[in-house]
Structures are given as structure tokens and as C-alpha cells.
Amino acid sequence: VALVTGGRRGIGKGIALGLAAEGARLCIAYRSNRATAQNALRELQAHGAEAFAVQADVTEPSKAQFLMDTVAERYGRLDILVNNVGEFRWRPVADSTVEEWKEILASNLFSVFYLCKAALPILRKQRWGRIVNLGAVGAERAFGQATISAYASAKAAVVAFSRSLAIEEAKYGITVNVVSPSNVDEKELTIAEATRIRDARFPVGRPPTVEDVAAAVQFFCSEQAGYITGQVLNVSGGWLL
């Protein structure tokens, strides 16, 4: 059983489809736009997945707990948690409001804490679990870039949080890792389609896709990755090395 936040489109939907291909039963969480969430749900079901969608603003601790309780009530367990949701905004520090700063951190960082905390009792009881948090390329180096100070700060903190949690939960058979994608095209290209596009920004010569990110998540969630925890995998085609 896998829970993927922000699963109605883009990277989140791609991750859900990848896990479904491995036989996972899915819950996709979304904050708004029920129509898009239902479209994603139909796509998952068309691929043979058992799946349902839950509306929950996971920047609120009570809603994160509600989401976890809903999954547990439906399936009686949780095996995989993927914290994918994360708002992005271009804004110089001088032009940022306090509310905007809080919103970025709540979306990218606090939601990860809320959901991990809610999931731990279930995963500990099973003595098995996979948590994958979404970072950003360079987050493990606490990268800096103009106009994304809140986002960069939040993603660097996600790495530190994930590594700390990995140490704490290893004795329970729970692994915690980070997948850090580069700027994936919102057109949701497949790998096959992307290989026909030349993109000089990336040393591998093509743009990244949701399939690339989903493959990394699938690996961390596999039995073969049971001895790997607290790690950051940049899915970037060599960008910003």
C-alpha cells in the first residue's frame, strides 16, 4: 500500500503509476482540483491499479493525520509513503512576505514532518516501511540560488530531516531516502519521447521526465534497497554537478 501526496499530476502521478506497475495499491492525496485528481485516478485504474483519492491539505497537521487514518482504515496497513507535494515560487528575499515564506516551508517541509509522524506508528508496528521524500537537485549541499531562498531552505532541511529520521527508524525496518529531481517538464514526456529531444542544459543530452523520477522512487521502495537509507539520489542527467 502506497500513499503519494500531490499525486494528481506531474511527478506525483508518475510516481503513483510507477508504484502501481509494481503491484502497489494506491492512495493519491491532493489539496484542490478534484476533477484533475479523478482523471489521475481513472488513469491509474486503467492500468489495473487499485486506487483511490483523498482531498487533504497536508500543510495542516490534522489533515495529514486524517489522510493517514483514511489509508489505514481502508487497507489496514501502509508500506510506502512518498512526500511529493511542494509549492515553488520565484521571489527575492527583499520582496518576500512573511506569509509567502511560511507557505513555502509549510508545503515543502512541514508537510513532510506531519505525514512521517503520522505514518510511523503504522510502519513501526509492521517493522517494515519505505519513506521517500522529494528534494531538489543540490539540496544535500544546501545550494543557493537567487529568488528561491524559501524553497532552497526547505529542501535542504528535508535532506537533514530525512537523514535524521533514517537513523532513528532503521531499527524498525524503515528506510528513509530522498529523490531530488531537476526541473521536470510539465508536459509529462515519456523517456522514449525525451530521447528525441536535444537539451544542452543536461550532460546526458535530453530533458528529464517523470518516468526518470518514478524509477528512482521505485528503487528506494524495493526489497533490494533495504540496506540503503538516509541517501539522496539526484535525478538530473548530470545537471549542476
Side-chain angles (χ1 to χ4, degrees), residues 124-146:
R124 284 181 171 187
K125 184 178 180 181
Q126 296 169 175
R127 300 196 70 83
W128 196 97
R130 299 285 189 264
I131 297 174
V132 181
N133 299 321
L134 271 289
V137 173
E140 75 281 6
R141 305 192 302 269
F143 71 103
Q145 183 177 328

Side-chain angles (χ1 to χ4, degrees), residues 42-53:
R42 283 190 287 271
E43 188 172 345
L44 281 163
Q45 292 167 341
H47 283 79
E50 181 181 340
F52 74 111

